[in-house]
Amino acid sequence: MTERSGGCVCGAVRFKTTAELSRITICHCTWCQRRTGTAFGTEAVFNSDEVEITGETVERYRHLSDESGRWLDLEFCAKCGTNLGFTLEAVPGVRTLPAGAFDDPAWIRADRYKIRHVFLRSKRDWSELSPLVEQYEAHFRK
Ligand SMILES: [Zn+2]
Ligand SMILES: [Zn+2]
């Protein structure tokens, strides 16, 4: 059995997955940019019954799509606000976990899993490592 664990930054919410993920979706849509505060959302997609969430209560925010009218429940830690993925009315039985919230995200590798980048039409030009960006191994302020 493939077990992997993760959780929020304050430790109040923990999760465990008991099977392999089905894919990774990296979404560059402007809505994911806003909900994550970054250039994209990185969602590890699992069957809901292969994810166990423990600890304190997870908060949910229901977003209704103005296009489809369907809901999407964003989940996050009530204490520290860490993104804990979402469930979608459109895809029952499936949930996402943010790839960066695993204790050891190093197992998520592009040569091992199907990784799809979607909504590239709104991709930010500062979100890729092109020769035009300055690159530092650690923070630039020493
Ligand atoms: Zn927390
Ligand atoms: Zn998105």
Side-chain angles (χ1 to χ4, degrees), residues 86-126:
F86 55 77
T87 54
L88 291 150
E89 184 179 15
V91 196
V94 160
R95 68 160 299 127
T96 78
L97 289 169
F102 284 87
D103 295 336
D104 174 21
W107 61 272
I108 299 173
R109 297 201 330 243
D111 60 351
R112 215 165 138 184
Y113 297 103
K114 186 189 291 254
I115 299 184
R116 290 188 189 136
H117 286 256
V118 299
F119 286 98
L120 288 167
R121 68 186 181 201
S122 47
K123 181 172 77 63
R124 303 275 69 95
D125 63 2
W126 40 263

Side-chain angles (χ1 to χ4, degrees), residues 8-13 77-82:
C8 66
V9 293
C10 81
V13 179
C77 173
K79 252 189 190 166
C80 71
T82 295

